[in-house]
Amino acid sequence: LIRSIYDDNHPELAEMVEKQIKKQVEIGIETQAITPLVKDSERVFKKLDKSRLVTRRIVEVERLALPAQILVWGNTVAIINMKGKIISSVVENKNIAITFRIIFQYIWDSSEDYHQKIIKEW
């Protein structure tokens, strides 16, 4: 998951997201998430990530203030507009999924220093 800073703008999705997270935890699906530093980041990181099987990398909000969220699983990529009306695009293609995994890994690796700095400050 590469999180959008606008995903909290849709409270109508909260219940659906919570149910999905619960199902994922029940079957042992672990999630890697790249998330911009926002006001709730510390609480979520400290209180929810472990129980939700999330490994998180926190990045500078100024560098990754995405209007859309990106999810990659299997050979599938979903891009969901979170700024304004929700619009989703889902592509099932091995090479596109590989491309997004490479981009994800690059951001993950490049953000380690900032992430470590932030969690040490907490």
Side-chain angles (χ1 to χ4, degrees), residues 82-107:
M82 293 294 195
K83 187 176 182 181
K85 183 179 176 184
I86 294 177
I87 300 170
S88 300
S89 296
V90 179
V91 178
E92 189 170 341
N93 178 276
K94 179 181 178 181
N95 291 323
I96 291 173
I98 289 169
T99 299
F100 274 90
R101 278 194 179 87
I102 291 169
I103 293 167
F104 180 96
Q105 193 63 51
Y106 179 79
I107 296 168

Side-chain angles (χ1 to χ4, degrees), residues 1 92 122:
L1 165 70
E92 189 170 341
W122 290 340

Side-chain angles (χ1 to χ4, degrees), residues 74-87:
N75 289 329
T76 305
V77 176
I79 304 169
I80 305 154
N81 178 59
M82 293 294 195
K83 187 176 182 181
K85 183 179 176 184
I86 294 177
I87 300 170

Side-chain angles (χ1 to χ4, degrees), residues 35-119:
T35 63
L37 179 63
V38 294
K39 64 181 177 181
D40 206 27
S41 294
E42 182 178 3
R43 181 188 70 80
V44 172
F45 179 80
K46 287 181 174 180
K47 300 200 186 293
L48 300 176
D49 281 359
K50 188 172 184 176
S51 65
R52 291 180 171 181
L53 306 179
V54 173
T55 303
R56 181 179 309 271
R57 186 62 54 89
I58 297 167
V59 298
E60 297 165 273
V61 68
E62 300 82 12
R63 299 190 73 192
L64 207 66
L66 302 178
Q69 201 151 275
I70 302 167
L71 294 95
V72 182
W73 70 96
N75 289 329
T76 305
V77 176
I79 304 169
I80 305 154
N81 178 59
M82 293 294 195
K83 187 176 182 181
K85 183 179 176 184
I86 294 177
I87 300 170
S88 300
S89 296
V90 179
V91 178
E92 189 170 341
N93 178 276
K94 179 181 178 181
N95 291 323
I96 291 173
I98 289 169
T99 299
F100 274 90
R101 278 194 179 87
I102 291 169
I103 293 167
F104 180 96
Q105 193 63 51
Y106 179 79
I107 296 168
W108 184 270
D109 293 344
S110 299
S111 60
E112 183 173 5
D113 290 344
Y114 180 79
H115 173 82
Q116 293 300 327
K117 175 183 174 264
I118 292 301
I119 62 170

